[in-house]
C-alpha cells in the first residue's frame, strides 16, 4: 500500500469508528451495533497487518478439501425396490401397474 492509501484507510476507519460510537450512544449495546463495532475493530487490525507486509499482498489459497470417493455400483437395482413407484420420465406421468 502506498502511504496515501494508508492515510486514507486510517481516515475512513476513524470516521467509521465515530459513526459506530454515535449509533452506540443512540441505540446502546444492541447486537447489531456490537457487530458493527467488532467489524470496525477487525478492519483496523487487518489494516495494521497490511501495513506490516513487505511487498504486495499475496493472495490467499483456498483450503484443500478432502473429498470422500463414493463408489456407486453399475449393477441393476432389485426390481422390488421400485414397486409402487411412479414413473416421471420424459413422457410425462405414467402409472405402472
Amino acid at each position: 500500500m502506498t502511504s496515501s492509501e494508508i492515510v486514507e484507510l486510517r481516515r475512513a476507519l476513524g470516521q467509521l469508528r465515530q459513526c459506530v460510537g454515535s449509533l452506540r450512544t443512540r441505540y446502546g449495546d444492541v447486537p447489531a451495533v456490537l457487530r458493527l463495532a467488532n467489524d470496525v475493530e477487525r478492519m483496523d487490525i487487518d489494516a495494521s497487518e497490511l501495513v506490516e507486509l513487505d511487498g504486495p499482498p499475496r493472495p490467499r489459497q483456498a483450503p484443500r478439501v478432502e473429498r470422500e470417493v463414493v463408489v456407486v455400483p453399475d449393477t441393476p437395482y432389485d426390481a422390488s425396490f421400485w414397486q409402487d413407484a411412479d414413473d416421471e420420465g420424459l413422457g410425462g406421468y405414467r402409472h405402472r401397474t
Side-chain angles (χ1 to χ4, degrees), residues 54-76:
D54 294 331
R58 288 171 247 151
R60 293 184 179 181
Q61 291 183 346
R64 290 190 61 131
V65 177
E66 294 294 326
R67 299 178 196 260
E68 180 183 351
V69 176
V70 178
V71 178
V72 179
D74 58 358
T75 57

Side-chain angles (χ1 to χ4, degrees), residues 77-87 95-97:
Y77 289 106
D78 181 9
S80 65
F81 180 76
W82 301 108
Q83 186 176 3
D84 296 328
D86 294 331
D87 183 1
H95 183 73
R96 288 189 176 187
T97 56

Side-chain angles (χ1 to χ4, degrees), residues 1-74:
M1 295 180 77
T2 65
S3 60
S4 62
E5 289 172 327
I6 293 169
V7 170
E8 179 63 23
L9 180 58
R10 294 285 182 202
R11 185 189 65 72
L13 286 172
Q15 288 178 329
L16 273 173
R17 194 172 287 106
Q18 286 179 334
C19 291
V20 171
S22 297
L23 290 171
R24 184 175 261 168
T25 300
R26 181 173 179 180
Y27 297 107
D29 286 335
V30 297
V33 173
L34 293 175
R35 284 192 301 268
L36 287 170
N38 188 36
D39 291 344
V40 172
E41 181 66 25
R42 181 71 241 169
M43 286 188 283
D44 191 40
I45 291 168
D46 290 341
S48 296
E49 289 176 4
L50 283 175
V51 171
E52 293 172 5
L53 288 177
D54 294 331
R58 288 171 247 151
R60 293 184 179 181
Q61 291 183 346
R64 290 190 61 131
V65 177
E66 294 294 326
R67 299 178 196 260
E68 180 183 351
V69 176
V70 178
V71 178
V72 179
D74 58 358

